Amino acid sequence: MSIRLTKAVLRLWACIVPARKRKDWLDEWNAEVEGFAHEHRQGGHVKLIRRASLAVADAVMVRRLAAHQGNVDATQSDRGQTMFFATLRDDVRYSVRTLYRSPAFAAAALITIALGVGANTAVFSVVDGILLRSLDYPEPDQLVAIWPAQWFSPREVRRLQEELTSYQSFAAYSQDGKTFSDSDGRATYVMGPLVSADFFDTLGRVPAIGRSFSDGEDETGANDVVVISHDWWQEQFASDSSVVGTTVTLNENTHTIVGVMPPELDFLQKDARYAVPLALTPGSPSFDGRWLQLIGRLRPDVEATQAAEELGAVVARWKEQFRYEENYGSDISVASLRDALVGPVQASLLLLFGAVGLTLLVAVINVTNLLLARAITRQREFTLRIALGARPARLVRQLLTEGMVLSIFGGVLALLVAWWGVHAIVTLLPSNTPRLDGIAVDMRVLMFAGVVAISTGLLVSLVPALQYVASSAGESLGTGSRGTENRKRQRLRSALVVGEVTFSVILLVGSGLLLRSLWGLNQREIGLDANNLIAFTVVPPRSINTDPVALDVYYENLLANVEALPSIEAADAIHVKPVSNGGWVMGITTDPADGEQTDGFQGAWWRPVTAGYIRTVGMRVVAGRSFDTTDDATTARVAVVNETMAREVWPGQDPIGKRFNIGFEGVDGWITVVGVTANVKHLGVTEATPATVYRPYNQTSTALSQRNILQRTILAKTRIQPEIAAAEIGRATSTIVANTPFVDLRPMREVVRESLAEPRALTLLLTIFAAVTLTLGAVGVYGLVAYSVSQRMPEIGIRMALGAKAADILRQVLWQGIKLAAIGVFIGVGIAFGLSQAYASVLHDVSARDPLIFIVVPTLLLVVAAITSYIPALKAGRADPATALKVD
C-alpha cells in the first residue's frame, strides 16, 4: 500500500473528526506518516496499513473529546484553559502513538528509566527508614546517647544521677536475655533489656495497659517486676487485658507483670519481649562493673554540646577524686540517640546512596542520547509539520511531553523495581542492622519516586528540545530527509558518552576497592579454626547459682554429654561467642613491682574459659602455656593474655610472670600471666582486636555466680560437617541437659560469615550498580559509533571507491569509540582519585588509592569500549561501496 493510498485513507477517517479540528488532525497524521515512511523505506507497506488502521480509533477519540468540550459554555479564560488541556491531551496522545510505533526505542528507554529510578527509590527507602526518619518517641530531638563509646558501672550511674543537671531524665540499660518457663514447664530463651526505673519515662512512652516502673524498683531486692512488649502480650498471653498483676518465670525467678507497652516500641533491643529493672544499689555484686549504657532526655533549653561540657566537668572531678586512667574522658560525647543507633551503618548507606545516584545520572544520559538520535531521525517530520503551519514552540512542547510520558511509564515500572529492590536489600543487610523494621515503600518513598521520575523526564527531554530550538526551523525537506546532524550535535552526543564513561569509572573504582577489601577480610586470620566448630549458648537454671561448685559440675556434665556424641571430638566453654562483639570490659591494675602501668591503657575484655578451650578452638599459643585441669580454686590464680594486651600493658617486656588484677574479680591475690596467645577477632572480623584476658572457669566461678552470670557459650569441634553435627545436637538437646534451651545453635563459620554481612552487602550492591553503569556506558559508546557509521556511509562509500582500504576505515571508526572512552577514563580516574577517601571508612586491608584498582579499571573500560566500537567498525570496513553510495 503506497503512502498516497495511506493518505487517502486518512482523509476518509478525517470525516469523523469535527470540522474545526479536522485540518490540524489531518496535518498531524500526514506528518507522522511521512516520518514513518522515511524511517521504514524498505518493507514498510504492512506497517503503513497498521498505522492507517490506528487512525480511525484516534479520530473517534478526538470527536468524543470535541463533543464534550462543545457542551461547555466557557468564558474566554475558560476557553483558553480548555484549549491548553486539549492541546496537552493531543500531545500526550501523539507521544503514546510515537512510542507505540517504535517499540525497540520505547523498551530501551523505559527499562533504562525504570532501572535508574527504581534503584534510587529502593536505596532511598532504606536510607530514609534507617537514617532520616525521626525516632518514634515524643520530642525525639531531645533524646541523646550519653557517651555511647563508654560503658558505665551502676556506681557511676548513681553518681551521674546526683551530679548531672542538663537532663529532664536519663536512664541506664543493658541488652540481655533470659529463660522463660511457661505454664507447662517448657523453657524458651527470650530477649529483653535490663533497665533503670526511669527508662520508659526517658523515652516518653507510657504503657498501653498498666504502668511502667516506679522509683525504687531498680533497687536490689525490689526488681521482681516486668513490663512486657505488645507482641509478646499477643503471642504468649493471647491479648488478655487482665494480664497485669499475673506473674511470669524468667531464669526461675518470679516477676509480676505491671504493664504492657504499646505496639512497635523497640526497647532499643531487637526482638525484645520484656524489660526488667536493674539492680542499681551497692547490694548488687556487679555494682562496680562497667556494663551499662546511658540515654537521656535533654531539658528544652539545653543543647547537646552544653550537656557534653557538663559531663566533661564531672569526669574531670572523678579523675582527681577516684584516680581514673589518665586519658579517661578524652572521647566524651553527647550525641543524638538516632545518630548513635545508626552510626555504625551511616557511612555505608550514604556511600550506597551516592553510588546509586551516579547510576541514575548514567541512565539519564543514556536516554538523552537515545532521544537526541531519535529527534534527528524525525527531522523530516518536524520540518513538514512546520511547513504545514505548526509553530516551533509546539514541537518543543511535544518533545518535552514525550519525555514526561516516558518518565511516567518508566516511573510505574520503577515502583516494581523498587519494591523488589527493597526486599533484596533488606535480605542482604545483617539482621542486627538498626531500625531495619522501619524500611518500607510508603508515601514518602512514593513521593521521592515521583519527583525523581518527573525530574528524569525533564532532564532527558530538555537537551533534545534545546537542540531543536538552536537548530534552524527552516531546514529544507531534502536536508531533513537525510536526518544528518551538525557538528554541534555530534559534539554534544560525544560529550554525553564521555560523561557516561566518567561516571562508570567512578563507580567501578569504588566497587573494585570494596571487592579487594572484602577479599582481604575473607583472608583475615580470625585466630581460631572456625571450619569444624559449632557454637551454642546455654542458660542454666538459676537454682545452681548459689553454689559455684554446682555451677562447674553442671557444665562439666553438659560438656561430657556433648563429647559423648559420635560426631563431636571435643567441647569446651567460653563466656561469650567469639566474633560476636559481646562480653565484659574491665579495668586492669598491674603489680607495681612490674613497673608502672602504661599511660592510656583503660582495661581489657574479660573471657573466662574452660581448661581445654584454647586447644579445642585452635588458638595458637605464642609464649608460655595454655590452661590445664590443675588450674583451679586451690592453686595460684593464672591468666593467658593475647598479643595486644602483652604489647599495650608491658611494652618491650616479657609478659610471662607479670601480675595484675582485673575488675570485679577483686584483689584476692595477684593474677599471674602464664601464656600469650595470638589475637582472636572476638569483636568481629572487621574490628581491631582489643586487649583480652582469658581466665579459667575453675578460678572465676565464685565471682560469676555472685553476679548471676550463668550463661556460657559451648564450642564443639566436630568430626563431620558442622551442619550435620549441629542438627544432631539439636535432636539430642533433652538428653544433653534437661529443660534448658540451647540458644543460637549453628556452625561457627556461619557466625564468621554473619560478621561480614554488612561489607558483603555493600560490596555486592555497589558492584551491581557499577555493572549497570558499565553496561549503559558500553551501550552509549556503541550507539554513538554505530549511528556515526550509518550517517557517514556515503562518505565511506566514496573513500572506498577512491581506493581506501577496509583496514583504514575499521581503524578510524574504532579509534572514534576508543578516543571517547579514553577521555572519559582520564576524567573519571582523576575524580575517583580525588573522591577515594570517601571509601576509607568502609575499607579494610586496602588503600583507598590502591594502584592495582586504578590500573585495572581504566584498562577494563578501554577494552569494553574497543569491543563495543569494533562491531560498527567491522560493518563500516565491510561496506560495499556501491551500496554505501546510495542516497535518498
Side-chain angles (χ1 to χ4, degrees):
M1 186 176 186
S2 68
I3 189 171
R4 187 176 301 175
L5 185 55
T6 302
K7 290 185 175 181
V9 173
L10 289 176
R11 286 194 293 273
L12 177 62
W13 300 145
C15 297
I16 302 174
V17 179
R20 67 179 185 276
K21 290 182 171 287
R22 189 171 300 154
K23 183 177 183 304
D24 290 340
W25 184 90
L26 196 56
D27 289 344
E28 183 179 291
W29 269 97
N30 281 333
E32 181 176 340
V33 167
E34 287 278 356
F36 186 83
H38 174 69
E39 292 181 33
H40 302 276
R41 292 186 296 273
Q42 301 295 327
H45 301 309
V46 175
K47 295 180 180 179
L48 277 174
I49 296 173
R50 189 186 307 162
R51 300 304 301 161
S53 65
L54 287 175
V56 64
D58 186 57
V60 172
M61 184 186 300
V62 172
R63 184 173 185 86
R64 288 178 178 175
L65 290 173
H68 175 72
Q69 294 168 8
N71 294 329
V72 180
D73 185 15
T75 62
Q76 184 65 32
S77 175
D78 291 336
R79 284 196 297 271
Q81 187 177 15
T82 302
M83 182 62 68
F84 171 80
F85 285 109
T87 305
L88 180 61
R89 280 193 296 269
D90 290 342
D91 288 342
V92 171
R93 183 169 47 83
Y94 183 72
S95 299
V96 173
R97 289 206 315 266
T98 55
L99 289 177
Y100 179 81
R101 81 178 194 187
S102 304
F105 162 80
L110 290 175
I111 290 173
T112 303
I113 291 174
L115 288 175
V117 175
N120 272 265
T121 303
V123 174
F124 173 79
S125 178
V126 175
V127 171
D128 182 55
I130 295 177
L131 299 184
L132 302 182
R133 288 181 185 271
S134 298
L135 296 176
D136 190 21
Y137 305 118
E139 304 296 335
D141 293 339
Q142 294 178 358
L143 284 172
V144 294
I146 303 170
W147 200 358
Q150 178 64 36
W151 298 81
F152 294 88
S153 68
R155 183 187 295 276
E156 290 168 333
V157 172
R158 285 303 193 202
R159 288 177 188 160
L160 291 174
Q161 287 175 336
E162 296 170 359
E163 298 184 46
L164 294 181
T165 62
S166 299
Y167 303 90
Q168 301 178 56
S169 64
F170 72 88
Y173 73 98
S174 177
Q175 297 188 359
D176 194 32
K178 297 182 184 297
T179 300
F180 165 68
S181 301
D182 62 18
S183 57
D184 297 326
R186 290 189 300 266
T188 56
Y189 193 75
V190 290
M191 305 300 297
L194 305 174
V195 302
S196 59
D198 45 8
F199 179 77
F200 294 110
D201 291 338
T202 300
L203 291 179
R205 297 297 290 270
V206 297
I209 302 174
R211 64 174 177 85
S212 58
F213 301 130
S214 302
D215 291 341
E217 287 184 332
D218 52 7
E219 305 287 335
T220 302
N223 58 336
D224 57 350
V225 292
V226 62
V227 169
I228 63 176
S229 73
H230 196 272
D231 288 344
W232 205 34
W233 174 61
Q234 291 179 323
E235 295 167 8
Q236 188 63 43
F237 304 96
S239 302
D240 183 3
S241 58
S242 63
V243 71
V244 173
T246 62
T247 60
V248 294
T249 302
L250 299 171
N251 278 8
E252 296 189 337
N253 280 345
T254 300
H255 293 263
T256 301
I257 298 175
V258 296
V260 178
M261 295 309 293
E264 300 178 358
L265 179 65
D266 58 15
F267 289 65
L268 303 184
Q269 180 175 348
K270 186 174 178 61
D271 298 327
R273 292 294 187 253
Y274 66 87
V276 297
L278 291 161
L280 290 177
T281 55
S284 168
S286 58
F287 190 64
D288 289 313
R290 290 180 186 165
W291 52 286
L292 299 174
Q293 292 183 287
L294 296 182
I295 59 171
R297 181 174 289 277
L298 295 173
R299 296 184 184 277
D301 58 340
V302 175
E303 297 292 333
T305 53
Q306 297 172 267
E309 291 173 1
E310 182 189 29
L311 180 61
V314 169
V315 169
R317 290 198 300 271
W318 288 3
K319 290 171 68 175
E320 293 182 4
Q321 185 176 357
F322 304 113
R323 301 183 66 180
Y324 277 75
E325 296 87 354
E326 181 62 31
N327 70 339
Y328 183 79
S330 60
D331 57 348
I332 281 176
S333 66
V334 176
S336 160
L337 180 58
R338 180 187 63 183
D339 293 344
L341 291 175
V342 304
V345 298
Q346 180 170 329
S348 297
L349 291 180
L350 291 180
L351 182 63
L352 189 63
F353 196 41
V356 78
L358 289 180
T359 303
L360 177 62
L361 285 177
V362 173
V364 167
I365 292 174
N366 206 274
V367 177
T368 301
N369 249 333
L370 286 174
L371 286 172
L372 271 174
R374 189 163 177 268
I376 294 166
T377 62
R378 294 171 62 190
Q379 189 63 49
R380 178 183 177 89
E381 171 196 336
F382 293 158
T383 305
L384 181 59
R385 290 179 66 178
I386 288 175
L388 295 174
R391 292 183 299 175
R394 173 67 187 276
L395 300 184
V396 170
R397 188 172 65 186
Q398 179 66 52
L399 289 173
L400 293 175
T401 303
E402 289 179 11
M404 294 306 298
V405 168
L406 270 176
S407 69
I408 291 171
F409 286 129
V412 172
L413 294 175
L415 293 180
L416 299 177
V417 175
W419 181 85
W420 178 86
V422 166
H423 286 274
I425 294 174
V426 170
T427 301
L428 287 172
L429 290 175
S431 59
N432 61 352
T433 301
R435 310 189 72 190
L436 197 62
D437 295 337
I439 299 173
V441 181
D442 56 11
M443 186 54 65
R444 281 166 59 106
V445 175
L446 292 177
M447 291 177 62
F448 174 84
V451 170
V452 172
I454 291 172
S455 301
T456 299
L458 288 174
L459 287 173
V460 300
S461 57
L462 190 60
V463 174
L466 292 176
Q467 277 295 297
Y468 178 78
V469 170
S471 66
S472 173
E475 288 181 331
S476 67
L477 291 178
T479 303
S481 67
R482 272 201 287 263
T484 57
E485 55 183 343
N486 56 32
R487 291 183 179 179
K488 189 174 182 180
R489 282 175 174 167
Q490 179 70 17
R491 285 196 297 268
L492 175 60
R493 296 195 64 208
S494 298
L496 290 174
V497 170
V498 168
E500 286 186 277
V501 175
T502 299
F503 294 139
S504 299
V505 170
I506 298 171
L507 277 181
L508 282 169
V509 166
S511 65
L513 290 171
L514 286 174
L515 282 170
R516 280 214 70 191
S517 176
L518 183 62
W519 183 86
L521 288 174
N522 282 311
Q523 303 306 310
R524 269 188 178 181
E525 289 289 338
I526 63 171
L528 51 80
D529 183 8
N531 290 324
N532 293 305
L533 291 174
I534 55 176
F536 58 93
T537 300
V538 178
V539 183
R542 181 180 172 81
S543 57
I544 68 171
N545 83 318
T546 56
D547 185 357
V549 176
L551 186 63
D552 285 337
V553 170
Y554 171 88
Y555 276 110
E556 286 172 4
N557 292 334
L558 187 152
L559 291 173
N561 290 338
V562 172
E563 289 182 339
L565 296 174
S567 61
I568 303 302
E569 180 178 331
D572 279 277
I574 187 172
H575 174 47
V576 293
K577 188 179 301 178
V579 203
S580 62
N581 194 14
W584 293 70
V585 182
M586 297 195 285
I588 295 290
T589 304
T590 57
D591 185 352
D594 294 333
E596 291 293 326
Q597 179 174 312
T598 305
D599 288 341
F601 185 79
Q602 293 189 29
W605 290 77
W606 182 67
R607 293 284 190 268
V609 298
T610 50
Y613 175 83
I614 292 176
R615 289 184 293 273
T616 295
V617 301
M619 291 171 59
R620 184 166 54 91
V621 178
V622 297
R625 68 174 177 89
S626 180
F627 299 123
D628 57 43
T629 54
T630 61
D631 295 317
D632 57 24
T634 65
T635 60
R637 299 202 298 170
V638 295
V640 173
V641 301
N642 70 347
E643 291 174 305
T644 301
M645 172 117 176
R647 183 176 59 253
E648 292 184 355
V649 181
W650 302 285
Q653 304 176 56
D654 182 3
I656 304 300
K658 301 296 184 182
R659 301 191 301 174
F660 66 94
N661 279 317
I662 183 168
F664 58 60
E665 281 205 59
V667 292
D668 186 18
W670 293 104
I671 299 170
T672 303
V673 177
V674 297
V676 179
T677 68
N679 288 336
V680 173
K681 293 290 185 179
H682 277 294
L683 305 186
V685 179
T686 63
E687 302 299 323
T689 303
T692 306
V693 173
Y694 299 95
R695 292 273 288 123
Y697 267 120
N698 288 341
Q699 295 184 349
T700 58
S701 295
T702 299
L704 289 166
S705 62
Q706 287 176 347
R707 288 157 180 79
N708 196 29
I709 305 173
L710 308 180
Q711 73 179 48
R712 299 182 187 180
T713 294
I714 311 301
L715 272 79
K717 186 176 182 180
T718 66
R719 294 187 173 95
I720 59 177
Q721 285 293 324
E723 291 79 6
I724 301 174
E728 181 182 349
I729 289 179
R731 290 191 298 269
T733 297
S734 59
T735 59
I736 294 172
V737 58
N739 201 32
T740 300
F742 288 175
V743 181
D744 199 21
L745 171 62
R746 55 178 168 157
M748 191 62 203
R749 58 192 179 197
E750 285 188 12
V751 179
V752 176
R753 189 159 48 242
E754 184 180 84
S755 177
L756 294 175
E758 182 186 333
R760 186 184 300 109
L762 178 63
T763 302
L764 177 60
L765 291 170
L766 198 64
T767 302
I768 291 173
F769 297 147
V772 171
T773 58
L774 176 63
T775 302
L776 292 175
V779 169
V781 172
Y782 170 81
L784 181 67
V785 175
Y787 186 78
S788 176
V789 167
S790 68
Q791 295 298 303
R792 293 177 56 197
M793 285 306 279
E795 172 200 338
I796 291 172
I798 293 173
R799 293 181 60 190
M800 295 185 73
L802 294 176
K805 296 180 179 179
D808 296 332
I809 301 296
L810 187 147
R811 185 168 51 252
Q812 184 183 34
V813 175
L814 189 63
W815 172 243
Q816 180 185 4
I818 295 176
K819 179 176 65 175
L820 291 177
I823 296 172
V825 165
F826 180 78
I827 298 173
V829 166
I831 296 175
F833 192 82
L835 296 176
S836 59
Q837 291 306 312
Y839 294 95
S841 61
V842 295
L843 294 178
H844 306 274
D845 302 332
V846 63
S847 168
R849 293 175 176 175
D850 182 61
L852 179 64
I853 297 301
F854 280 89
I855 293 173
V856 170
V857 167
T859 303
L860 172 64
L861 273 162
L862 290 175
V863 169
V864 170
I867 293 173
T868 54
S869 301
Y870 181 75
I871 300 172
L874 190 63
K875 177 183 176 181
R878 292 177 175 177
D880 180 11
T883 304
L885 285 170
K886 290 182 180 180
V887 295
D888 296 338

